[in-house]
């Protein structure tokens, strides 16, 4: 699957990562649209701490 991930200050990459296994009691959804939250944008422009 693809994931947009923050690797460092002003370093955002679209990565191909393994799809996590579906666990009992969970569901899989197909994402049609996604957005970037204002706090995500703030973290990109003014990083206060390193990403996990």
């Amino acid at each position: 699957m693809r994931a947009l991930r923050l690797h460092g200050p002003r370093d955002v990459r679209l990565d191909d990562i393994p799809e996590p296994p579906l666990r009992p009691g969970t569901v899989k959804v197909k994402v049609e649209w996604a957005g970037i939250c204002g706090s995500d944008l703030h973290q990109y422009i003014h990083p206060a701490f390193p990403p996990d």
Side-chain angles (χ1 to χ4, degrees):
M1 66 184 220
R2 295 184 306 174
L4 189 62
R5 302 193 300 178
L6 181 62
H7 289 270
R10 296 186 179 254
D11 182 9
V12 176
R13 302 179 209 161
L14 185 59
D15 296 328
D16 287 315
I17 62 171
E19 188 171 319
L22 192 60
R23 297 182 312 232
T26 62
V27 297
K28 182 177 179 178
V29 297
K30 181 178 180 182
V31 177
E32 294 277 335
W33 293 90
I36 297 176
C37 178
S39 60
D40 296 331
L41 183 58
H42 183 80
Q43 178 66 23
Y44 173 78
I45 295 171
H46 306 287
F49 54 89
D52 293 341

